[in-house]
Amino acid sequence: MNAVDIINKTKKKVPLTDEEIKYLVNGYTSGEIPDHQMSAWLMAVCLNGLTEEETVSLTLAMRDSGDILDLSCIGKITVDKHSTGGVGDKTSLIIGTAAAACGVAVPKMSGRGLGHTGGTIDKLESIDGFRVELPFAEFAEIVNKTGFSIISQSGKLCPADKKIYSLRNATGTVDSIPLICASIMSKKLALNADCLLLDVKCGSGAFMKTPEDAEKLGRLMEKVGRAAGKKVRAVVTDMDTPLGCCIGNSLEVREAVELLQGKVKGRLYEVCMELTANMLELAGKGSLSECRAMAEEAVSSGRALAVLKETIGLQGGDSRICDDAGLFKTAKYSHVIYAPRDFEVVSVNAEELGMASLLLGAGRINKGDEIDYSAGIVLEFELGDKISMDAPLMTLYSDSVSDFSEAALRAYNALTFKTLTGVALT
Ligand code: URA
């Protein structure tokens, strides 16, 4: 077996055997297969795709490149949830705590943000003292106690994905459905929960820009997960507009806490309750409508907030933020954008708002960049609201940027308006 033959087969759309895929993944992870050969193969996959069988083999070879967690010490059915990432997506904190409050265990490993998309680990690190790196035994102990814990992805899980993902970033080979599927599913299967809910984001702020591609990715991830013996369901949710009104790490944790306090409804609440209901149903807690009612009760009773508070405390964070919003860090600088005329906002481009937020310091351009936890954007309207001239549209926050002109222009241009007399403006 050699790498050139394997590259040629994929180039000619001849399916690879399981052994050939293992040879490639193991050889690249150990350093025997060099970057240039792996890059050529990844590009061939981007152009020609992989069969479902090849995608299963690739995912399992990547999963098996490192540790696979043994969650048998957790005394309840375990349910993991993965979101394919977007702008303003703070659902993990809400869904994980609501599901835990309904009696399932939610052990989660999450990642950091890159580019216009945020990452749950960055959001959690905006909480003073919060530890995102815990030994496995402590992670499992917290899950057993509260039902919920989130830590950063362990370096011992899926080393193959770590190496392949950074090569994909450097070689223009990220946007391939089988490669995205194998990357996400190898990590999820290494975490090894009993059930997995996949929230496939679709729209301008997401990896998948069209409903067809989002559906294709969701179905493929379901097939791979089921081939590995897991209960898996994928749901597609909209990411054309940001989820909720806050974008930026500390601002998003605050919004999640406010939702768990019962103060936030709208699309963010609806999406979170639907996703929680799906997790509970997958875990055998009842029908979808019974599970939806359980999820809503977990929030309205304050039990989900109590799970979050206890988990933050056990992970070393300042859990008083769950009672006192004044304890969230506020940015040194802020800038309000006012409506220049009477209008209605008909759409918000999530990717553009994510980019504006990045300019304020809320995200990373390159892996390893420092981020400003207090930076971000708060939308002061809901889609469809009638907005009067001079009413606040958005507030921009930053600790690191005092000149808001570039970010404000980008954020304003992310909106599409219609005047209240019905003439569309660009
Ligand atoms: N997230 C991942 O973990 N991998 C991808 O390839 C894309 C999104």
Side-chain angles (χ1 to χ4, degrees):
M1 226 178 275
N2 71 74
V4 176
D5 287 347
I6 292 177
I7 296 164
N8 274 320
K9 277 180 89 172
T10 302
K11 189 174 77 185
K12 292 178 193 151
K13 295 195 186 176
V14 178
L16 301 176
T17 64
D18 192 50
E19 285 65 38
E20 285 168 327
I21 289 178
K22 275 189 192 136
Y23 170 83
L24 196 66
V25 170
N26 294 340
Y28 183 61
T29 310
S30 68
E32 279 156 46
I33 292 176
D35 280 356
H36 58 265
Q37 287 186 322
M38 194 62 177
S39 307
W41 184 75
L42 292 168
M43 187 54 83
V45 174
C46 266
L47 299 176
N48 289 339
L50 291 177
T51 65
E52 275 173 27
E53 291 72 27
E54 289 178 291
T55 310
V56 170
S57 293
L58 177 63
T59 309
L60 299 186
M62 287 165 67
R63 176 199 66 181
D64 295 342
S65 67
D67 290 354
I68 298 177
L69 295 188
D70 176 2
L71 299 179
S72 58
C73 57
I74 293 174
K76 290 179 187 163
I77 188 158
T78 50
V79 192
D80 192 7
K81 167 250 162 197
H82 180 80
S83 158
T84 57
V87 177
D89 182 359
K90 66 284 293 175
T91 54
S92 288
L93 301 181
I94 300 161
I95 295 168
T97 52
C102 296
V104 299
V106 187
K108 257 196 78 53
M109 284 191 184
S110 293
R112 295 181 190 281
L114 187 63
H116 69 276
T117 63
T120 303
I121 289 302
D122 297 323
K123 299 182 212 295
L124 289 168
E125 280 188 334
S126 74
I127 303 170
D128 268 344
F130 194 97
R131 293 176 298 136
V132 297
E133 281 173 25
L134 300 180
F136 175 74
E138 189 178 352
F139 173 57
E141 197 181 317
I142 296 173
V143 176
N144 268 327
K145 209 161 187 181
T146 71
F148 175 68
S149 175
I150 304 191
I151 57 173
S152 62
Q153 184 80 37
S154 150
K156 292 184 184 157
L157 259 54
C158 289
D161 177 62
K162 206 167 180 196
K163 215 170 157 191
I164 295 171
Y165 198 22
S166 56
L167 188 63
R168 285 168 59 212
N169 262 319
T171 55
T173 52
V174 171
D175 58 343
S176 149
I177 288 179
L179 295 179
I180 293 174
C181 169
S183 169
I184 293 172
M185 291 304 290
S186 58
K187 289 176 284 212
K188 295 287 113 186
L189 295 175
L191 181 95
N192 207 12
D194 303 313
C195 312
L196 173 60
L197 182 73
L198 298 158
D199 172 17
V200 185
K201 299 287 183 203
C202 171
S204 72
F207 275 105
M208 297 296 111
K209 306 289 183 206
T210 65
E212 293 74 30
D213 278 350
E215 175 133 5
K216 223 187 266 177
L217 177 63
R219 294 283 158 254
L220 187 60
M221 291 197 291
E222 283 182 339
K223 283 193 177 133
V224 169
R226 287 172 192 155
K230 301 295 181 191
K231 286 178 87 173
V232 189
R233 180 178 299 157
V235 293
V236 175
T237 59
D238 173 70
M239 190 40 85
D240 259 334
T241 44
L243 208 43
C245 65
C246 296
I247 301 161
N249 297 292
S250 189
L251 293 168
E252 289 188 42
V253 177
R254 181 177 180 152
E255 189 174 26
V257 167
E258 284 174 355
L259 188 145
L260 293 175
Q261 288 171 337
K263 294 181 189 159
V264 174
K265 297 286 178 207
R267 194 166 75 92
L268 176 63
Y269 176 81
E270 282 303 313
V271 168
C272 288
M273 292 301 97
E274 257 333 276
L275 292 173
T276 310
N278 273 282
M279 279 171 87
L280 296 172
E281 195 206 13
L282 261 186
K285 290 282 172 189
S287 68
L288 197 58
S289 60
E290 286 163 350
C291 291
R292 167 80 193 223
M294 284 165 65
E296 290 190 11
E297 194 277 334
V299 173
S300 62
S301 63
R303 289 187 302 108
L305 183 65
V307 170
L308 182 67
K309 188 173 175 185
E310 192 180 2
T311 302
I312 291 176
L314 289 169
Q315 292 196 220
D318 183 354
S319 60
R320 294 172 306 157
I321 56 164
C322 293
D323 305 313
D324 182 358
L327 293 169
F328 281 99
K329 290 188 197 90
T330 41
K332 239 189 292 179
Y333 309 109
S334 63
H335 173 83
V336 183
I337 302 177
Y338 294 95
R341 57 182 76 83
D342 293 349
F343 54 48
E344 183 183 322
V345 179
V346 287
S347 73
V348 179
N349 182 308
E351 181 168 7
E352 282 302 300
L353 268 195
M355 294 306 295
S357 177
L358 190 65
L359 290 172
L360 296 169
R364 297 186 179 81
I365 296 168
N366 295 305
K367 236 173 160 176
D369 286 352
E370 290 277 314
I371 54 177
D372 171 355
Y373 292 114
S374 65
I377 299 172
V378 177
L379 303 177
E380 311 284 1
F381 63 89
E382 297 251 9
L383 277 188
D385 282 356
K386 308 265 178 279
I387 302 166
S388 309
M389 184 169 155
D390 292 334
L393 263 183
M394 290 185 253
T395 309
L396 279 50
Y397 295 93
S398 184
D399 257 355
S400 43
V401 175
S402 54
D403 175 358
F404 285 87
S405 44
E406 197 184 346
L409 186 64
R410 192 127 194 189
Y412 184 73
N413 285 339
L415 311 182
T416 308
F417 310 107
K418 128 176 139 189
T419 63
L420 295 182
T421 49
V423 182
L425 301 173
T426 50

